Amino acid sequence: MTLKLRSVGTSDRGLIRSGNQDALHAGTWLVAVADGMGGMAAGDLASSIAIDAFAPLDVETPEDGLVAALQTGIERATVRIRQAVSEDPERQGMGTTLTALLFARTGSCLALAHIGDSRAYLFREGVLKQITRDDTFVQMLVDQGLITADQASSHPRRAVVTQALQGEEVSPSYATMVPWAGDRWLLCSDGLSNVVRPDTLAEVLAGYPDRAECARMLIDLALRAGGPDNVTVVVADVVEE
């Protein structure tokens, strides 16, 4: 039996924002979430550029080519964002987060690329683990032992991102992992993770086997919590086929 990735994605502008600056890809081999920043039009553009740059990676990729493929996606997105800024000076400062997972054609490995404060969580055997580390000012304070994780969640500068795709040189995080049958991945923008607690995320991931229902419930929870931001969710299951 070969392991396969099966995914569903959905997005909502939330209850406060006038538009949606998030973008997503939920494919057979690739799942990704991008959260744009830098003003309405520019944020929209940056996130869509990033997802469009990564979409061609949604193909069968050998295990030893996963990280290189993700690096190519980052480079392509960086070049295109830089070009978009050069075409219109008012776009200066626009950018986007990017969290992407690429599954090997053999099902034996997956790779992650991450920059910004969107997140990837792995729900395995009843335990939820945050795999990515936020590129944020408050995470830096947590890492230095200056504040606790609980304090970070309500810190006035919690939205300050220290790294994003903005057309300049960046240092994304890359990781590879061995998938297990039954793994469930959650990729999301901070519109979900900022307002729904990890224990609640775990309950929903465990309680809704249907991916589409699970994704809808996560969006609903963010809206019930006030929906202060755009919220984007991709739920991806590792299955035996």
Side-chain angles (χ1 to χ4, degrees):
M1 298 284 271
T2 303
L3 296 181
K4 300 289 187 182
L5 195 68
R6 296 291 176 259
S7 67
V8 167
T10 187
S11 186
D12 193 283
R13 69 179 174 88
L15 302 177
I16 306 296
R17 302 291 176 89
S18 59
N20 193 343
Q21 298 185 76
D22 290 357
L24 68 90
H25 182 95
T28 302
W29 306 99
L30 174 80
V31 291
V33 167
D35 180 353
M37 61 192 76
M40 189 56 236
D44 272 1
L45 181 60
S47 62
S48 65
I49 286 174
I51 293 299
D52 287 347
F54 268 75
L57 305 183
D58 196 1
V59 294
E60 294 188 15
T61 305
E63 182 177 325
D64 60 3
L66 293 176
V67 172
L70 291 171
Q71 290 171 332
T72 297
I74 292 283
E75 291 165 4
R76 186 159 49 212
T78 297
V79 168
R80 291 180 183 179
I81 289 172
R82 184 187 305 133
Q83 183 177 354
V85 172
S86 69
E87 291 170 356
D88 185 348
E90 290 190 2
R91 295 171 179 162
Q92 188 68 42
M94 83 171 186
T96 183
T97 70
L98 192 285
T99 301
L101 182 157
L102 184 60
F103 205 72
R105 68 184 180 198
T106 57
S108 58
C109 187
L110 60 82
L112 276 166
H114 169 75
I115 186 165
D117 63 351
S118 296
R119 290 182 178 178
Y121 294 92
L122 172 60
F123 187 66
R124 173 180 283 178
E125 295 189 329
V127 177
L128 183 69
K129 182 178 181 181
Q130 181 182 334
I131 302 299
T132 53
R133 176 191 171 279
D134 295 346
D135 290 320
T136 58
F137 175 73
V138 294
Q139 183 62 52
M140 193 167 59
L141 296 181
V142 171
D143 292 345
Q144 293 171 355
L146 298 175
I147 63 173
T148 66
D150 280 346
Q151 289 171 327
S153 65
S154 58
H155 195 280
R157 297 187 67 188
R158 66 185 179 277
V160 178
V161 176
T162 54
Q163 269 209 118
L165 293 177
Q166 294 183 284
E168 300 161 359
E169 291 299 313
V170 290
S171 300
S173 301
Y174 297 99
T176 57
M177 295 181 65
V178 176
W180 292 9
D183 283 353
R184 170 163 278 190
W185 285 88
L186 167 64
L187 271 61
C188 65
S189 61
D190 65 345
L192 179 70
S193 56
N194 277 350
V195 297
V196 181
R197 292 174 54 88
D199 55 346
T200 304
L201 296 178
E203 287 176 14
V204 175
L205 292 168
Y208 291 83
D210 181 272
R211 288 180 287 279
E213 285 185 24
C214 183
R216 280 196 298 270
M217 177 53 67
L218 291 168
I219 296 281
D220 285 347
L221 286 172
L223 297 179
R224 288 182 209 168
D229 198 355
N230 309 146
V231 54
T232 298
V233 168
V234 174
V235 177
D237 292 329
V238 178
V239 301
E240 286 185 313
E241 285 192 358

